[in-house]
Amino acid sequence: MPVRRPCCSAWRVRCWRCCLPCSPPRPCNLVLVAVSGLATLVVWSSVCVCHIRFRREWARDGHSADELDYRAPGFPVLPWLAIVMCIGALVLVVLDETQRSTLIA
């Protein structure tokens, strides 16, 4: 018999989640979540790399940071820190058996 979830609110109002049986996640769900997480790592890494390269090219062309309409706070430390954190998350993906399959796909 499936386990029922407790009511979601203090007012004892039942929502759609309370009426559904609890079940373990299926492998398809794990793969979808893992692939979307990996895509997020790739996107944020590329954003940081593009930011660093843009600022390097901007300075190489003789411009200063004061000419920019928007200067990201914490440059250049924060983009590099974000890259390190993305690499750390990627290492954790490699160490997790349920998410390791996303590196193959």
Side-chain angles (χ1 to χ4, degrees), residues 21-55:
C22 294
S23 62
R26 296 185 179 132
C28 179
N29 294 344
L30 292 175
V31 169
L32 288 174
V33 169
V35 167
S36 68
L38 186 63
T40 302
L41 290 176
V42 170
V43 167
W44 275 109
S45 297
S46 65
V47 166
C48 293
V49 168
C50 288
H51 184 204
I52 292 168
R53 290 188 64 194
F54 167 74
R55 291 288 291 263

Side-chain angles (χ1 to χ4, degrees), residues 88-105:
L90 187 61
V91 168
L92 292 176
V93 167
V94 170
L95 296 177
D96 187 2
E97 292 177 7
T98 60
Q99 294 188 13
R100 199 175 298 149
S101 63
T102 60
L103 299 175
I104 297 169

